[in-house]
Amino acid sequence: MLQFTKTKAFRIAAVVTLLVALYALAGFVLAPRLLRSALLEDIPKTLGVTPTVGEIRVNPFLFRLEIRDFSLAAPNGEKLVGFRRLFVEFELSSIWHRAYSFANIDIDAPAVNAVVAHDGRLNLLEMSPKAAPAKAQEKKAPLPALLIGSFKVSNGVVTYEDRSRPSAFAARLDPINFELVRFTTGGDGGRFTFTGSSKLGERVEWHGHIAVQPIESDGEFQIDGLHAHTIWEYLEDRLNFAVNTGTIDLNATYKFSLRDAVDFKATVSRILVKDLTVRPKTSDVDWISVPSLLLSGTTVDLLQRQAHSDSLTLTGAKLVTWLEADGSFNLLKLSEPPASSGAAAPAGSAASAVASPPAAAAPSAAAAPWKFELREFAMREANISAEDRSASPPVKVLLAPFSLTVGGASLDLAKPVTVRLDTHVNDAGSLSASGEVTPQPLSAHVALKVDGVDLKPVQPYLAQRTSMTLLSGRLSGDAKVRYGGDKPTLQISSNISIAGVHTVDNALHDDFINWDRLDVSGINFQHNPDRLDIEQVTARKLYARIIIEPDTSLNVKRVLAGPGATVVVPAQPGGKPVAATAPTDAEPAPTKPAPTKPAPNKPAATQHAGNPAPAAAEATMPMAIKKIVLHESQANFADLTVQPNFATGVKSIEGTVLGLSSNPNTRAKVDIHGAVDAFSPVAVTGEVNVLSATLYTDLEMSFRNMELSTFNPYSGKFAGYNITKGKLTTLLHYKVNGRKLDAQHHITVEQLEFGDKTASKDAVSLPIKLAVALLKDRNGVIDLDIPVTGTLDDPSFRLAPIIWKVFVSIIEKAVTAPFALLGRLFGGGPDLQFIDFRPGMADLDAVAAEKVKAMVKALNERPQLKIEVPIAWVDELDRPALVEARFLAQVREAQSNKAGGKKAAAPDFAQLDPAAQLEILTQLYAKNVGGQPKFPEAVTGIKTKPELAAAQADFLSQELHRHIAITDGDLTALGQQRAMAVQRALLTDTQIDSARVFLAVSDKAKIEDGMVRLELTLK
């Protein structure tokens, strides 16, 4: 045995055993101790943290190292990093592989505890190496050769807490698993797998290939169930909204290479966001809800600076949006920075605490811009609740289901994108749009279609600007819009239909304007140059209410003037008008100055402009409407300026207007028919041009068979009598050319009869019944022509007042000079009312007889006229004439007696010689005066016999005249004889009713050229 121990083999074996023993001792015993000592002593010196380590095992024969329960803690005792077990298995193959070879590297339950303190410093920075003397820069050595069969991380945990924020954030990723297999630092690299999950079910999986010489990697990356709330929690203090729900799934592949430049390519096959909700932090209502958001087919090429996505699809999204009263948009508030929480952010933040890497060099000016294309963006089955709170009450619109598709979107704004939109509006109508839009320069070719959209929601807008309420209405139509840089820059071709419109006057609580259907077809509008053409406008069952307010203004003006306009509600029979004001919150409009009164002394029928012609207006947009059609329409008219209120209606309005145009050389044909109160036809025909700056009108309007009793409110107010019977027909012709008006009014009134007198203070102070009798012919017809001329540029020119003035002027002339009117119509001259008699005589001479004949004709043609013949005389003419007549009668009687009663004609007394005259006069004197005459000395003193006889005869004649007494009865009898003479002439062999001729004692007699003139009077 001893011999064996001395052998060389023994010694070798002994040495080997000893070496093995020492190796084992060093590996199993010394190595763990030395490693523990190095960890516990060197780490605090170099990193400034406190390490703890559990059991350390080294197997020098299997080349295995195992360390348990290792951790590093900050000086304050806070754990930073650690693991439960580290297992490393080295391989001897490193020798012939000429590379460090590891069969396995396993880390079990590694933990990283990252905490950002209140001052913004990251706790992991405690592990930063302590400052060391700077060494001269050495040439960068190549990476050592390394082979790893398997590198595993199992059950890892990463916790993160940020205490620097106003609201603390904490997150935990657990467990984390990672595996890298067959890895080499050579060109082959190795395959790896990384997985991680959270307690919320969020999961990350990453697997692929990685190499370090050169640095490159490719693989697949997947995220499942990442909670959007987790991301929001970290960004909460920088966001003005809250994300409470939502998950994110991502599937991607990539290729990465770092050679001369960073080359990164990624293909994201899917990013799916589910059940995402967004709301303001101060609200409990979600403003945005997205059940599904899918981004698919995305590729990114960093080196080529381009990206592409096949589609971005939102399904079932819900948006709650509104416009505030100040004009702000609620969804834009989500992008605003949150209000300051009061505590300023610490000077050093987590981001600043970490040493920032060198900033990447900005791309050179020659670097190509990024390119991005999104083949299709689609929003399907969305629900958009929109509200305009600037109106009162707010306007609410629901767009659901809402679908929007945008194709070909890209960062190249010169490329057109296709757009298609389809939605229902407020559960009733629909809206669709499709076409192409080019963002830059902006151009568009879009087709629009609207079908049955309820117009009632626009009522708050109408309430702000009008005093009417829209109760119903539906909008339909289609349009094609082209916008672009070429002229015309804007073109719109459309057809519009608005059906079932019903509006109410807010103050009167009655219908204002309604229609069953209004179609506007063939609309063609263009801008730059401007032009508007309309093929046809068709109104069916159009209804309008037009009212003259108590202040003589039109209700249309009040309604369109907006809230606050005061009116008077029409009075009920026997009642008084009631004031009413449309409700408003706005201040009343300032009072307008009173209109300037027209200059005095202007003719009523003709007025001329007193002001210089206005400056030429700017060129207006050319407009043309080929055809306007009215079907089954009607209009109601009311006048509240009279009591009782006047009201009538035009029904069954049918007609056309053809060829309306702003071209001053064109004329539109008007042909409109209707009926007033169903049985009185109305027609408007002619030519107009109302769209041109130079107005042209040549219209004829006729109103036939209108019941005059309808106009009792006007008759009672202005004429002072109610109308019990009558028909009205008017033929009106208006011609406007160059703003010069020529209006002809032919008015025919049939069988007009007045009833009771009214107590109107506005009635004309004229014998209106006499005027009617003068104007009415034997058939009961009044036929008047009222011409009016003037210029529309005269601010005082108003057609209706002028017509009324002309009409009143006709009445005044008729009643103030009725015989002049009759004389013009039926002969007899302007003095038809005057009948002249010789003094003391009652017979009609030839002139008087002709006048009476003319009067007979006039009375026959004006059967309602009555005539009054005066019983009158003129004392200073008729009394001497009667004395002379009686004297001559006495003389003739005396001559007859002297002749013995013979019937032979006695010679004229004036032809007798003075002696014969003296004889007869002496007899008369003795008979009438008594006794013999006593001549004055002036007579008796005459010596010649012939002269004496003549003087005596003259004296006796004077005495006999003086003794003849003419009484008032004699004069009255003369007046009666004269009146009866006129009466006989009027009634004898005529058809005039004697009841129409009155004899009346009157003083209507005067001297005219030595004649007694009687003045007839009409009643």
Side-chain angles (χ1 to χ4, degrees):
M1 185 68 179
L2 293 174
Q3 185 71 28
F4 175 74
T5 60
K6 295 179 180 181
T7 65
K8 183 177 181 180
F10 175 79
R11 287 195 298 269
I12 292 174
V15 171
V16 170
T17 301
L18 177 61
L19 291 175
V20 171
L22 291 174
Y23 174 75
L25 178 64
F28 283 108
V29 179
L30 293 179
R33 292 183 179 181
L34 292 174
L35 182 56
R36 180 185 296 276
S37 175
L39 291 175
L40 297 178
E41 294 179 6
D42 293 344
I43 288 179
K45 293 177 182 180
T46 57
L47 300 182
V49 293
T50 303
T52 58
V53 64
E55 183 181 3
I56 299 177
R57 294 180 181 178
V58 177
N59 188 328
F61 300 105
L62 298 178
F63 302 102
R64 294 177 176 176
L65 170 66
E66 183 178 4
I67 303 175
R68 291 182 174 272
D69 301 325
F70 175 81
S71 65
L72 297 178
N76 60 2
E78 184 180 43
K79 184 177 179 181
L80 301 177
V81 296
F83 52 79
R84 183 167 58 193
R85 175 176 178 270
L86 170 64
F87 176 78
V88 179
E89 183 178 2
F90 190 72
E91 291 185 331
L92 284 176
S93 59
S94 301
I95 299 173
W96 55 84
H97 287 155
R98 295 183 179 182
Y100 299 107
S101 301
F102 297 88
N104 292 289
I105 300 176
D106 295 338
I107 301 176
D108 183 34
V112 178
N113 180 32
V115 177
V116 179
H118 292 288
D119 60 359
R121 183 172 177 80
L122 181 65
N123 66 338
L124 296 181
L125 295 179
E126 298 291 346
M127 297 187 298
S128 300
K130 294 182 178 179
K135 295 182 179 180
Q137 186 174 1
E138 298 178 357
K139 186 178 180 180
K140 187 175 181 180
L143 290 174
L146 186 66
L147 292 173
I148 301 176
S150 173
F151 177 76
K152 289 184 179 180
V153 176
S154 304
N155 300 315
V157 176
V158 175
T159 60
Y160 176 80
E161 183 178 0
D162 190 347
R163 301 172 182 172
S164 65
R165 301 154 50 87
S167 55
F169 172 78
R172 179 185 178 93
L173 190 59
D174 175 23
I176 296 174
N177 298 297
F178 176 79
E179 182 175 8
L180 179 65
V181 297
R182 294 186 296 277
F183 174 77
T184 175
T185 54
D188 294 337
R191 303 293 300 177
F192 68 90
T193 299
F194 174 88
T195 62
S197 61
S198 70
K199 293 182 178 179
L200 298 175
E202 300 161 315
R203 178 175 174 79
V204 179
E205 182 176 343
W206 181 14
H207 58 87
H209 168 268
I210 187 170
V212 294
Q213 290 187 343
I215 299 176
E216 60 183 15
S217 178
D218 62 85
E220 298 180 8
F221 186 81
Q222 179 175 332
I223 297 176
D224 293 323
L226 174 61
H227 283 237
H229 183 74
T230 303
I231 301 174
W232 173 82
E233 278 187 322
Y234 180 71
L235 301 173
E236 175 183 4
D237 298 321
R238 303 178 188 177
L239 302 176
N240 201 29
F241 57 85
V243 178
N244 294 325
T245 62
T247 59
I248 303 172
D249 296 339
L250 182 147
N251 297 88
T253 62
Y254 71 95
K255 275 189 175 184
F256 173 79
S257 176
L258 182 59
R259 296 176 183 268
D260 296 332
V262 177
D263 185 5
F264 177 80
K265 296 182 177 67
T267 300
V268 182
S269 61
R270 185 186 72 151
I271 298 178
L272 175 62
V273 181
K274 295 184 293 185
D275 301 324
L276 177 69
T277 60
V278 178
R279 66 174 62 173
K281 293 180 179 179
T282 58
S283 175
D284 56 357
V285 177
D286 295 328
W287 286 6
I288 302 175
S289 301
V290 183
S292 174
L293 183 153
L294 176 62
L295 178 65
S296 59
T298 300
T299 61
V300 178
D301 190 331
L302 183 64
L303 189 61
Q304 297 297 323
R305 301 175 67 82
Q306 63 183 21
H308 169 84
S309 292
D310 286 340
S311 65
L312 174 61
T313 304
L314 284 77
T315 304
K318 293 184 179 180
L319 301 180
V320 178
T321 179
W322 63 80
L323 183 69
E324 296 285 4
D326 59 2
S328 61
F329 188 47
N330 73 313
L331 292 182
L332 292 180
K333 294 180 180 179
L334 299 178
S335 63
E336 296 175 355
S340 175
S341 59
S349 65
S352 63
V354 180
S356 300
S364 64
W370 268 93
K371 297 179 180 178
F372 173 74
E373 292 183 353
L374 175 60
R375 186 175 61 82
E376 181 183 83
F377 167 81
M379 179 183 287
R380 298 191 177 98
E381 300 179 8
N383 182 303
I384 301 177
S385 176
E387 189 173 337
D388 184 357
R389 297 182 178 179
S390 64
S392 180
V395 177
K396 298 180 179 180
V397 177
L398 177 64
L399 304 178
F402 179 91
S403 297
L404 173 65
T405 303
V406 179
S410 71
L411 293 179
D412 184 357
L413 301 183
K415 288 185 176 181
V417 298
T418 60
V419 178
R420 181 173 183 82
L421 181 149
D422 290 286
T423 183
H424 280 72
V425 182
N426 289 338
D427 299 324
S430 62
L431 169 66
S432 63
S434 61
E436 283 191 354
V437 178
T438 302
Q440 198 176 51
L442 181 60
S443 65
H445 294 264
V446 179
L448 302 171
K449 184 175 181 179
V450 179
D451 186 18
V453 173
D454 188 4
L455 294 177
K456 189 175 180 181
V458 306
Q459 169 55 33
Y461 299 122
L462 291 177
Q464 291 177 346
R465 296 167 178 81
T466 69
S467 295
M468 68 178 177
T469 299
L470 177 64
L471 298 181
S472 64
R474 299 181 306 279
L475 173 66
S476 300
D478 59 81
K480 293 182 179 179
V481 181
R482 186 197 69 80
Y483 180 84
D486 298 334
K487 291 187 178 181
T489 55
L490 175 64
Q491 286 184 310
I492 300 175
S493 301
S494 66
N495 301 286
I496 297 175
S497 176
I498 305 176
V501 169
H502 184 189
T503 65
V504 169
D505 186 324
N506 293 344
L508 303 180
H509 305 290
D510 209 342
D511 291 348
F512 176 58
I513 184 168
N514 308 327
W515 63 75
D516 183 65
R517 188 178 182 89
L518 178 65
D519 295 321
V520 185
S521 59
I523 302 172
N524 289 286
F525 170 78
Q526 69 178 41
H527 173 63
N528 193 20
D530 295 347
R531 182 173 184 83
L532 174 62
D533 293 304
I534 298 176
E535 190 71 23
Q536 181 167 319
V537 178
T538 303
R540 300 181 186 276
K541 295 186 178 180
L542 175 66
Y543 168 85
R545 182 184 296 275
I546 302 173
I547 299 174
I548 300 178
E549 310 283 10
D551 62 355
T552 71
S553 64
L554 286 177
N555 66 322
V556 176
K557 180 179 179 181
R558 170 185 54 76
V559 171
L560 299 182
T566 301
V567 299
V568 175
V569 179
Q572 299 298 324
K576 294 183 177 180
V578 181
T581 302
T584 178
D585 295 329
E587 292 294 328
T591 304
K592 294 184 178 179
T596 305
K597 294 183 178 180
N601 303 323
K602 283 192 176 183
T606 304
Q607 298 192 18
H608 302 285
N611 299 326
E618 295 182 0
T620 57
M621 177 178 66
M623 300 175 62
I625 304 175
K626 288 187 177 180
K627 188 175 184 180
I628 298 176
V629 182
L630 297 175
H631 287 307
E632 301 179 71
S633 299
Q634 60 178 316
N636 278 0
F637 174 80
D639 189 347
L640 308 187
T641 63
V642 294
Q643 289 295 328
N645 300 150
F646 171 76
T648 189
V650 181
K651 302 178 180 179
S652 303
I653 300 176
E654 302 275 346
T656 60
V657 179
L658 304 178
L660 273 177
S661 173
S662 58
N663 185 340
N665 297 321
T666 62
R667 303 290 183 261
K669 305 292 185 182
V670 179
D671 186 5
I672 299 175
H673 300 271
V676 176
D677 297 328
F679 301 107
S680 302
V682 176
V684 180
T685 59
E687 296 181 342
V688 297
N689 188 340
V690 296
L691 298 181
S692 171
T694 303
L695 293 179
Y696 177 85
T697 300
D698 189 357
L699 284 180
E700 291 186 356
M701 292 179 281
S702 65
F703 300 81
R704 301 181 184 276
N705 197 40
M706 297 176 66
E707 291 291 343
L708 280 175
S709 57
T710 305
F711 297 91
N712 262 339
Y714 293 111
S715 173
K717 179 177 181 178
F718 297 113
Y721 292 91
N722 288 324
I723 297 175
T724 59
K725 177 183 176 184
K727 297 279 189 178
L728 172 66
T729 296
T730 62
L731 301 176
L732 313 178
H733 185 190
Y734 291 96
K735 188 168 185 177
V736 178
N737 194 357
R739 303 189 64 79
K740 301 294 184 180
L741 172 67
D742 180 8
Q744 304 295 326
H745 307 82
H746 185 84
I747 301 173
T748 303
V749 180
E750 300 179 61
Q751 308 304 321
L752 173 61
E753 292 185 9
F754 286 111
D756 296 335
K757 186 176 181 61
T758 65
S760 173
K761 296 180 180 179
D762 298 318
V764 293
S765 56
L766 297 171
I768 198 69
K769 287 189 175 182
L770 172 60
V772 170
L774 286 166
L775 297 175
K776 186 187 297 185
D777 65 13
R778 66 186 303 169
N779 297 317
V781 177
I782 298 175
D783 200 320
L784 295 177
D785 286 305
I786 303 177
V788 176
T789 61
T791 172
L792 302 183
D793 292 325
D794 187 348
S796 63
F797 183 83
R798 296 292 184 272
L799 184 60
I802 292 175
I803 295 174
W804 175 246
K805 285 183 180 180
V806 174
F807 179 74
V808 172
S809 177
I810 292 174
I811 298 299
E812 287 178 342
K813 289 179 180 179
V815 298
T816 55
F819 289 95
L821 173 64
L822 296 177
R824 287 194 302 270
L825 294 175
F826 310 110
D831 296 331
L832 184 62
Q833 74 269 37
F834 298 122
I835 303 296
D836 294 338
F837 288 91
R838 293 188 300 274
M841 302 299 292
D843 57 328
L844 298 175
D845 60 14
V847 174
E850 288 299 322
K851 285 188 176 182
V852 173
K853 288 182 180 179
M855 182 60 66
V856 170
K857 184 177 180 181
L859 291 176
N860 280 329
E861 293 298 324
R862 297 293 184 264
Q864 286 193 330
L865 283 178
K866 297 178 181 179
I867 191 168
E868 184 178 282
V869 182
I871 299 175
W873 61 92
V874 178
D875 193 283
E876 57 185 296
L877 288 183
D878 284 327
R879 191 179 294 276
L882 288 177
V883 170
E884 181 66 22
R886 187 170 295 182
F887 169 76
L888 293 176
Q890 292 175 356
V891 169
R892 285 192 296 272
E893 183 181 0
Q895 286 180 290
S896 178
N897 293 335
K898 184 178 179 181
K902 294 180 180 180
K903 296 184 178 179
D908 186 8
F909 181 74
Q911 302 298 323
L912 297 177
D913 58 60
Q917 290 181 351
L918 179 61
E919 180 182 0
I920 294 173
L921 292 176
T922 301
Q923 294 176 2
L924 286 176
Y925 185 86
K927 179 181 178 180
N928 295 336
V929 179
Q932 293 297 318
K934 295 180 179 182
F935 298 103
E937 292 182 1
V939 174
T940 59
I942 297 174
K943 300 303 182 179
T944 60
K945 189 173 181 179
E947 285 79 3
L948 176 62
Q952 288 177 336
D954 287 339
F955 173 77
L956 290 177
S957 176
Q958 293 175 9
E959 286 297 311
L960 287 172
H961 278 83
R962 189 168 60 83
H963 282 84
I964 294 175
I966 299 299
T967 65
D968 290 342
D970 295 332
L971 293 173
T972 300
L974 175 62
Q976 289 175 341
Q977 291 170 8
R978 289 170 172 170
M980 293 176 67
V982 175
Q983 183 185 43
R984 283 193 300 273
L986 290 173
L987 299 178
T988 302
D989 297 330
T990 68
Q991 297 179 350
I992 298 174
D993 187 353
S994 60
R996 296 172 60 195
V997 181
F998 295 87
L999 305 182
V1001 177
S1002 172
D1003 59 354
K1004 291 188 176 182
K1006 63 180 180 178
I1007 300 173
E1008 185 70 27
D1009 295 332
M1011 302 284 282
V1012 175
R1013 171 166 286 183
L1014 300 187
E1015 183 178 358
L1016 306 181
T1017 305
L1018 292 174
K1019 298 294 183 180

